[in-house]
Structures are given as structure tokens and as C-alpha cells.
Amino acid sequence: MTVTPPRTPRTDGPVSVPPARSAARSGETVPETAGEAGELPAASSGFLAKAALVTAALSVAGALLGLVRDQALARLFGAGSDTDAFLVAWTVPEFAATLLIEDGLAFALIPAFSMALARRSQGAPGDPVRALVAGTLPRLSLAFAAVGALLVGAAPQVVDVLAPGLPDPALAVDCTRLTATCAVSFGLAGYCSAALRAHRRYVAPAAIYVAYNVGIVTGMFVLGGRWGVRSAAAGVAVGGVLMVLVQLPSLIGQLRRGRTAGEAPVGHEEPRPLDTALLTTVLLFALCRQSQTLIERFLASQLPAGAISHLNYAQKVAQMPMILSVMVCTVTFPVVARALAEGDAERARSRVERDLALASCIVLLGTAAVVACAPQIVELLFQRGAFTARDTAATAGVMRVYALGLLGQTLVGVLVRSYFSGGRGSWYPVGAMAGGIVVTSWIGALGVGPWGVYGIAVANATGITVTALLLLAGMGPRSVPIRVRGVLGELSRPVRAALVATLAGAFAAARFADPVQGLAAGGLTVTVVFLLVGRALRAQGIVSAFRSVRSATRKLSHGRS
């Protein structure tokens, strides 16, 4: 493939051009995987589309199993004090997932592995990839084990800090000790995921939440009769182990393969540890981001029983569009990191801008559907067993408020990768996230009294939106140099389409008393109106989607003829 000539490299930011890429600077045609044929697939549009499709399919499967998990939790244990106790303990795996799988560790490891792969392709002595593993995995494993042991021992104090008003803290302590094992299992799973994605292997990393939720659901149904809600915590421990096992064979295969078949490594390279500044900043960012959940649980623990459960169910459903939209940059993040490792800032910029356009269209379509059809969604998913119509009304209202922050969540997910994709520490994202947390805390403290759980949801949506705006304002020398004004202009188009689609979808859904019919009518109306209005406004993500469908249809018709 032809590599686009980069802009003049900066000397004050994370993007630097290695000397070995002089051919790319002169505009020559350079293979994407030069020097490592047979190891990394070329990052063509077709390959990325297939990778995104596989990742999205497995992520949807994991999300659906997550809904089955939440349905089982609601049916078996309702939305009372027992479920609240488990959800406080679930804060540990939620934090671990953000720190070790989704954000923190991935932001540090994917650029590091991308740089090691680039150095290997340039003929560096020894095997830089194996040297990186030798220098990082043993130390990180010890750190994971130490944190897990600390959480087990300090479980009573952790529960006191997370939810001081909890009616049954002993149950929450038992659940916390079981979920603390994920500090080890999630850490190893996150390491495997980052290494495999840097190698452009996406199937096993995308399957981890399928394995995780299978473990939790199985634990609840097998042990629920004897252990009560503790069975869900035991399922978390089992699911974490399954997340590692599902990826281990693929990672071992990649490390054994090493260089091109038949090529013997020359020389030797010492084990390379992770950059301390990078690891510190990404973990602090992830901690700040996940602390939104801490604020919610802390404030909700002082409300009547069930408040934490209503917040949890609403958040889990409302975030599904955001999860699907972030899948786009999950697939392309290694491509951006590799482009920066090779000094191609222009290719990285173009990729990030396209990711922002597509991800915003996906999440805004989902947001419009969630806001328009919230009561029907919650009734169909949860209203059975111990989950009553009153719980449905409360959860649907909170879910609509949460949905207002989904665009901010998605923008943060896409933009923060740009700050860390160069493989160097950056304090600006930490400051931006801290600013959002201050806003969340302030609005939450003021709003929880008069508005209850709605005030907490408003605080969440406002805080994450502030963080997204701060990250956009800081783009430039600290990250991939995207064109901020152009991005904001592009974002306004799907936002307008989503507003129109939400009103039309809510009107259609309200015409039917049956939740299935209401959801079908509302969802179809939202989709059609969003696509038509977005196309009329020439939203880039929607126009590209129509173009892709048209191209696929032509290929199919030619194939039949």
C-alpha cells in the first residue's frame, strides 16, 4: 500500500519519525508489513472492516450475554438490598476492566507493542517483541497479585468507603473478597488483549466478555440457591479466569511465531520495561474516569434501597450504543499507534477523524433509540420476577438522562487514544478527566437531594461531556493533530439528525400499549428518520455507510450475473 507522506515531524510531541522511515518520508510505496511478511495482516480498509465486523459481532454477543446476566440478577435477586450489596462489590471488576482491559493498560501496551513490531520490521537485533514481554509481564503479574491480595484483606474498609450507608455491609464484604480475584485475572486478560490487538488479532480479545458473562450467569444459576447473591460474585471470579484462557493459545502462537518463518534473530535485546510516565498517566486517567461510578454509588447509597440497582440497570442498557461505537477505535487504535511509531502523522490524523465521524453516528443513533423507547426497553428486558413495574418506571427515567452523556462518553473514548497512541505519557487527559469529575461531584452533591437518582444521572452526563470538550480543545501538539473546527462541524450534523429522530421515535413508540410493538415502531422510526436526515445533512459517517452498502450491493449483483 502507498503510505501518505507525513507532515513535518514535531520535536515537542509524541510523534517522531524514526530514521528507518526515510522511504516513507519521500513518498515511496512502502508495504505496511515490510520485513514481517506473514506476521501482520496489512491494515487495508477491507481488513479493518472485517476486523470491526468480527469485533462488533462478538462484542454484541458479549453485551447480549451481559443483558442475560442482568436479567438473571434482576429475576433472582430483584432490586433490593442484596443486589445493592453485590453491585457495591461489582465496583472492583468495573474498575479493573477500565484500568486493565478497556483503557489504562491497553493505552500503555498497544503503543509499546506497536513500537516493538516496528523495530522488528526495521531489523532491530534480537526480538523486540519478546524482549518487551520479558521486561513487562513478570513485573505486572506481581503487581496484579499484590493488588488482589490487598483488596481481599481490606474488603471491609473498601465497602465502608464505597457505600457507607449500605444496610448489609457484611454481605458486600463477602462479595468484594470474591470479586477481588479479578485484579489478577483481568490484568492478565488485558495484557493478552493488548498484545494480540497490536498483532492485529481481534477474535480472541473480542470474545473475552462472552466468556466472562458465561461464568457469571452459570455461577448464579448453579450456586444461587445456596449462596444467594454471593453466587454472582463467585461467577465474576470464574469469568475472569475464562477471559485469560480464551486468549492464551492465540498469544502463545504469536510469540512463538516471532519473525518471518526461517529468519533467525540476529544479536540480543535486553528486556524492556514499560515507560513509567506513560503507565502512570494512563492508569491515573482510567482511575479518574472510573471514579464516576464511585461517586454514583456513594451518593446513591444514602437514598432508599434499590437506588443503586436502578442506576446500574439504567447505565448498563444506556451504554450499549457507546460500547458499539467505541468498537471502531478499538480496532483502529493499533493502526494509529503503528502509524505514529513509523512517523506517519498524516495517516494517523486521517484515521482518527474518520473514527470520530463514524463512532458519533453510531452512538447518536443508539442514543435516539434509547431516549425514545426507554420504557419499552426496560419492561421487555427486566420486568419479571422481583423486578416490578415501579422499578421499570424508575429505571427508564434514569436511563433517558444517562443517554444524554453517551456522545461525550464516545468522544472521550476516541480522543484519549489519540493522546496516548504515540507511546508517551501525557498529563493533559488526566487533567481533563479530573475537571469532568469535579463537575460530576459538584452537580451530584447538589442534585441528589431534590432529584434523587435523576440528579446523579444528570451529574454523570454533564461531567463526561465537559471532559470530552476539554479533550477536543487540547488536541494538537499533545496528540494526533486533528482539525478540531472541522470535527465539530461534522459532529453537528448527526446531532441534529438524532434530535429529529428522537422526537419522531418517541411519538411512534407511544402509539402502542404493547411494549414489543412500541419498541418495534419506535426503533424503526428512529432508524429511518436518523438515516434520512443525516444523509440530507451529509453527515460523513452516514454517507460512508450508504456508499458501502451500495458498493456491496453492486458486487453482489455482479457476482450473481
Side-chain angles (χ1 to χ4, degrees):
M1 63 179 289
T2 303
V3 177
T4 307
R7 295 175 177 177
T8 303
R10 300 187 311 269
T11 58
D12 59 342
V15 181
S16 59
V17 181
R21 295 298 292 173
S22 58
R25 287 196 299 268
S26 64
E28 290 182 29
T29 300
V30 181
E32 173 70 20
T33 55
E36 49 179 337
E39 182 179 348
L40 290 187
S44 63
S45 298
F47 171 78
L48 291 178
K50 291 177 182 177
L53 182 61
V54 169
T55 301
L58 287 171
S59 297
V60 168
L64 291 176
L65 279 171
L67 287 177
V68 171
R69 173 202 68 207
D70 292 342
Q71 287 174 331
L73 187 68
R75 182 170 184 173
L76 294 172
F77 311 113
S81 59
D82 282 4
T83 307
D84 285 354
F86 166 69
L87 292 176
V88 169
W90 205 354
T91 305
V92 175
E94 285 179 327
F95 253 79
T98 299
L99 287 172
L100 305 177
I101 299 176
E102 297 163 9
D103 290 348
L105 202 59
F107 292 164
L109 285 173
I110 288 178
F113 274 102
S114 297
M115 181 62 72
L117 287 165
R119 294 184 67 250
R120 176 197 281 174
S121 71
Q122 295 163 6
D127 190 335
V129 175
R130 293 182 185 178
L132 177 62
V133 172
T136 56
L137 185 56
R139 299 178 185 182
L140 288 174
S141 298
L142 287 174
F144 300 150
V147 172
L150 179 62
L151 287 172
V152 170
Q157 291 75 27
V158 170
V159 171
D160 285 342
V161 170
L162 292 179
L166 204 64
D168 189 0
L171 178 58
V173 169
D174 290 344
C175 292
T176 300
R177 283 177 170 148
L178 287 167
T179 60
T181 58
C182 70
V184 179
S185 58
F186 279 30
L188 296 176
Y191 191 97
C192 293
S193 295
L196 287 172
R197 284 173 176 151
H199 282 84
R200 295 179 194 153
R201 299 298 188 271
Y202 296 98
V203 175
I208 59 176
Y209 286 110
V210 174
Y212 175 59
N213 287 317
V214 165
I216 299 176
V217 173
T218 303
M220 283 192 287
F221 281 104
V222 172
L223 301 173
R226 288 176 291 171
W227 288 14
V229 80
R230 293 177 180 84
S231 62
V236 170
V238 173
V241 175
L242 294 177
M243 294 170 85
V244 180
L245 295 179
V246 80
Q247 299 182 93
L248 205 54
S250 181
L251 179 60
I252 292 174
Q254 290 301 311
L255 295 179
R256 283 180 176 174
R257 183 176 303 177
R259 293 176 178 268
T260 308
E263 180 184 351
V266 179
H268 175 71
E269 179 158 321
E270 292 296 324
R272 287 174 166 256
L274 284 177
D275 181 83
T276 303
L278 172 63
L279 191 60
T280 300
T281 52
V282 297
L283 290 179
L284 283 175
F285 171 83
L287 274 172
C288 285
R289 184 171 186 179
Q290 194 58 32
S291 64
Q292 281 191 312
T293 302
L294 288 183
I295 296 169
E296 292 175 12
R297 300 271 164 86
F298 180 85
L299 295 173
S301 68
Q302 304 171 48
L303 296 174
I308 294 177
S309 299
H310 295 149
L311 285 167
N312 172 74
Y313 293 132
Q315 189 179 54
K316 289 294 187 296
V317 178
Q319 284 188 344
M320 286 189 67
M322 182 269 294
I323 293 171
L324 290 175
S325 65
V326 173
M327 285 301 102
V328 175
C329 54
T330 298
V331 171
T332 59
F333 180 42
V335 178
V336 175
R338 184 64 182 269
L340 294 181
E342 295 174 345
D344 196 343
E346 182 65 23
R347 180 156 55 103
R349 180 198 61 76
S350 176
R351 182 71 263 169
V352 172
E353 290 182 354
R354 281 181 285 170
D355 288 349
L356 283 168
L358 182 56
S360 63
C361 285
I362 294 172
V363 76
L364 286 168
L365 173 59
T367 300
V370 166
V371 174
C373 308
Q376 294 82 1
I377 294 171
V378 176
E379 183 176 350
L380 284 173
L381 291 178
F382 300 120
Q383 190 174 311
R384 56 184 61 84
F387 198 93
T388 65
R390 179 178 173 277
D391 293 323
T392 293
T395 303
V398 176
M399 192 165 76
R400 279 175 161 160
V401 179
Y402 262 132
L404 301 179
L406 290 180
L407 178 59
Q409 295 275 10
T410 297
L411 292 179
V412 169
V414 178
L415 292 172
V416 74
R417 286 167 168 81
S418 300
Y419 283 90
F420 293 123
S421 55
R424 295 183 183 178
S426 175
W427 288 98
Y428 186 82
V430 180
M433 194 69 241
I437 291 300
V438 170
V439 173
T440 299
S441 303
W442 180 64
I443 295 178
L446 294 177
V448 68
W451 300 327
V453 289
Y454 295 99
I456 297 174
V458 167
N460 178 293
T462 306
I464 198 65
T465 302
V466 168
T467 298
L469 293 175
L470 290 173
L471 289 176
L472 265 176
M475 297 296 287
R478 305 179 184 89
S479 65
V480 177
I482 68 169
R483 295 164 292 197
V484 176
R485 289 187 179 180
V487 167
L488 288 173
E490 178 58 39
L491 285 175
S492 69
R493 297 170 183 172
V495 167
R496 285 176 278 168
L499 289 173
V500 177
T502 300
L503 295 175
F507 178 81
R511 303 277 72 77
F512 299 89
D514 180 72
V516 176
Q517 294 176 344
L519 179 58
L524 180 61
T525 302
V526 165
T527 303
V528 172
V529 172
F530 180 81
L531 293 177
L532 291 179
V533 175
R535 188 179 185 185
L537 293 173
R538 300 194 62 78
Q540 182 181 339
I542 296 175
V543 171
S544 299
F546 274 106
R547 190 181 299 120
S548 299
V549 171
R550 192 162 50 243
S551 176
T553 303
R554 288 175 181 172
K555 289 181 181 179
L556 185 60
S557 62
H558 287 318
R560 287 176 178 175
S561 61

